[in-house]
């Protein structure tokens, strides 16, 4: 669509300055700018720079006449679409008209020009130009929409592949565990098999709950059970939930929270889920025996909760998309195959439901990450 700040250009071509000024006075108005050329060469130079809605061309000019200019325009990719109206002082006999139309003219106007006729014909082509620009704009919008749909389709296919991978592992573990239990007579070994199956059951349950949470939030079906809770209790709960993942990576976890309680008005389970997802994400993208730190501090009327790690970091091009659904950063050892790319999307949604904000800071690949969550405090 034509920008209201960008005028529509008309090209006026005549070797006499007074004729150009007269045409400009008739046609110039708000939103319309007249480009004036005293020769065919000047006109072609202007057409290289400007998109033109209509060209009004004098037929009889020294050097390159109007017909020759029209032929050059039809051979130029930038100008071949420009409609041409020839302005002639001579008689427009049938032969001259035929040559003009053959060169690409859409009309002839006799000098002296009738003002109303000129304005009416110019308005037609100005409106056609506006409509063409709107069509081009819609075409670009449709292309962008199609590209977005294509990207969404790729993410959907990637998600289905990840979902199949993530569901297959615990299911296969269950089947293998059941087969082993059928043949196992040793109580201690049976207990060990049961424990491994319990870990897989917890993993499967977490996947399903994350999927259901995404659907509930999108459908507006999650209602927060708000109460007065302390930041310290939220972090304690999140650490307990994330401990198996942290311990599996043999990570060093540091927790730093103030001694005095910091109170929030929120859903304890959902707030704990926010911090737990960040801790799990840190454990997932930090190589074995890495360092993870969770800390909380009050800053005026808000609390700041940081979850930092010395892991693989987030590449610059991924940082704007890391909170999008089904988006995962690629780690050097392909840790992106673990999980569905849901955790951080849930974090952002749940944080925003609590009138908070979440931020990411990372210097790039290999430089670790710091996720910061802000919540309003009460009391």
């Amino acid at each position: 669509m034509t920008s209201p700040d960008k005028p529509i250009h008309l090209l006026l071509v005549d070797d006499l300055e007074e004729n150009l000024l007269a045409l400009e006075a008739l046609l110039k108005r708000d939103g319309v700018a007249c480009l004036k050329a005293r020769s065919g060469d000047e006109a072609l130079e202007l057409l290289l720079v400007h998109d033109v809605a209509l060209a009004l061309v004098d037929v009889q000019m020294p050097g390159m006449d109007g017909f020759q200019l029209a032929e050059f325009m039809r051979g130029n990719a930038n100008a071949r679409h420009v409609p041409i109206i020839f302005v002639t002082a001579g008689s427009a006999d049938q032969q001259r008209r035929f040559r003009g139309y053959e060169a690409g003219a859409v009309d002839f106007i006799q000098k002296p020009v009738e003002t109303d006729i000129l304005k009416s014909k110019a308005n037609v082509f100005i409106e056609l130009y506006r409509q063409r620009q709107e069509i081009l704009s819609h075409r670009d919008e449709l292309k962008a929409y199609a590209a977005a749909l294509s990207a969404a389709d790729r993410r959907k296919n990637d998600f289905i592949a990840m979902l199949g991978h993530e569901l297959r592992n615990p299911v296969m573990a269950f089947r293998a565990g059941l087969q082993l239990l059928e043949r196992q007579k040793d109580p201690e070994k049976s207990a060990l098999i049961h424990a491994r199956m319990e870990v897989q059951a917890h993993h499967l349950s977490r996947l399903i709950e994350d999927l259901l949470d995404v659907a509930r939030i999108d459908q507006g079906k999650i209602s927060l059970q708000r109460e007065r809770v302390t930041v310290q209790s939220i972090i304690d709960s999140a650490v307990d939930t994330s401990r198996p993942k942290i311990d599996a990576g043999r990570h060093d976890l540091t927790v730093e929270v103030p001694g005095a309680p910091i109170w929030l008005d929120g859903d304890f389970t959902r707030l704990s889920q926010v911090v737990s997802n960040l801790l799990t994400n840190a454990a997932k993208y930090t190589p074995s025996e890495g360092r993870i730190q969770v800390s909380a501090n009050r800053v005026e009327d808000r609390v700041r909760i940081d979850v930092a790690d010395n892991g693989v970091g987030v590449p610059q091009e991924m940082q704007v998309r890391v909170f999008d659904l089904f988006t995962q950063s690629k780690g050097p050892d392909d840790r992106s195959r673990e999980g569905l790319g849901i955790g951080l999307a849930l974090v952002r949604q749940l944080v925003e439901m609590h009138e908070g904000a979440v931020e990411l800071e990372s210097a790039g690949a290999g430089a670790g990450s710091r996720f910061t969550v802000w919540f309003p405090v009460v009391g």
Side-chain angles (χ1 to χ4, degrees), residues 15 25 32 35 56 61 79 89 124 129 135 139 154 161-162 192 208 218-219 247 262 303 311 330 338 367:
D15 61 308
V32 174
L35 307 171
L56 290 161
M61 293 186 295
V124 169
Y129 178 85
I135 291 171
R139 182 199 64 183
R154 288 195 299 271
M162 287 189 294
L192 180 60
I208 294 171
D218 285 344
Q219 296 168 13
D247 290 346
I262 302 173
V303 64
K330 297 291 183 181
E338 303 175 9

Side-chain angles (χ1 to χ4, degrees), residues 46 139 233 306 315 337 355:
L46 289 170
R139 182 199 64 183
S233 64
D306 289 296
R337 298 302 298 171
E355 299 83 41

Side-chain angles (χ1 to χ4, degrees), residues 24-296:
E24 182 181 33
L26 289 174
L27 297 172
K28 189 173 181 180
R29 63 173 192 255
D30 289 343
V32 174
C34 294
L35 307 171
K36 300 188 293 294
R38 294 282 300 274
S39 68
D41 290 332
E42 286 184 15
L44 290 174
E45 289 178 6
L46 289 170
L47 287 166
L48 290 174
V49 179
H50 301 282
D51 191 20
V52 172
L54 172 65
L56 290 161
V57 179
D58 182 32
V59 173
Q60 298 176 356
M61 293 186 295
M64 185 189 302
D65 66 20
F67 295 143
Q68 291 171 321
L69 172 60
E71 289 167 355
F72 272 108
M73 289 173 64
R74 291 298 168 256
N76 185 289
N78 292 333
R80 64 167 56 106
H81 67 279
V82 177
I84 300 170
I85 294 180
F86 283 123
V87 182
T88 178
S91 62
D93 57 33
Q94 185 173 0
Q95 184 176 358
R96 287 170 62 82
R97 285 182 179 275
F98 178 77
R99 185 183 176 191
Y101 292 133
E102 191 175 47
V106 296
D107 204 353
F108 279 82
I109 290 181
Q110 294 290 132
K111 294 180 181 179
V113 174
E114 294 188 31
T115 302
D116 291 340
I117 291 177
L118 176 61
K119 287 183 176 181
S120 176
K121 290 184 177 182
N123 286 339
V124 169
F125 290 104
I126 289 171
E127 185 59 33
L128 286 173
Y129 178 85
R130 283 199 178 103
Q131 292 177 6
R132 183 165 66 89
Q133 293 303 106
E134 288 180 1
I135 291 171
L136 291 175
S137 175
H138 292 321
R139 182 199 64 183
D140 293 341
E141 290 173 2
L142 289 173
K143 283 184 177 180
Y145 183 63
L149 286 177
S150 178
D153 187 59
R154 288 195 299 271
R155 288 198 300 271
K156 177 205 70 178
N157 291 336
D158 290 344
F159 166 69
I160 291 173
M162 287 189 294
L163 180 61
H165 174 83
E166 290 295 325
L167 293 178
R168 181 184 61 188
N169 286 345
V171 170
M172 291 179 65
F174 286 141
R175 292 184 61 185
L178 289 171
Q179 292 172 357
L180 289 172
L181 287 174
E182 288 179 355
R183 299 191 300 269
Q184 189 55 248
K185 304 301 182 182
D186 186 336
E188 290 186 3
K189 291 183 178 179
S190 294
L192 180 60
I193 294 171
H194 273 112
R196 291 176 178 171
M197 293 176 67
E198 181 65 27
V199 171
Q200 295 299 326
H202 175 76
H203 176 61
L204 183 58
S205 175
R206 184 69 179 268
L207 286 175
I208 294 171
E209 282 301 317
D210 281 352
L211 285 169
L212 290 175
D213 279 345
V214 169
R216 292 180 190 123
I217 291 175
D218 285 344
Q219 296 168 13
K221 292 184 177 179
I222 280 190
S223 59
L224 300 179
Q225 306 300 315
R226 288 182 178 267
E227 58 181 327
R228 279 174 58 88
V229 295
T230 65
V231 171
Q232 290 86 342
S233 64
I234 292 166
I235 291 176
D236 287 343
S237 174
V239 168
D240 288 343
T241 302
S242 310
R243 180 63 73 178
K245 188 76 173 178
I246 295 170
D247 290 346
R250 301 190 301 280
H251 299 308
D252 177 25
L253 174 65
T254 303
V255 180
E256 296 180 358
V257 295
I262 302 173
W263 293 93
L264 302 180
D265 175 34
D267 186 315
F268 177 83
T269 300
R270 295 302 181 182
L271 291 171
S272 175
Q273 184 178 4
V274 165
V275 181
S276 173
N277 281 5
L278 292 177
L279 284 168
T280 301
N281 185 77
K284 172 180 171 182
Y285 286 105
T286 300
S288 297
E289 300 181 356
R291 297 189 307 276
I292 299 173
Q293 180 183 50
V294 55
S295 61

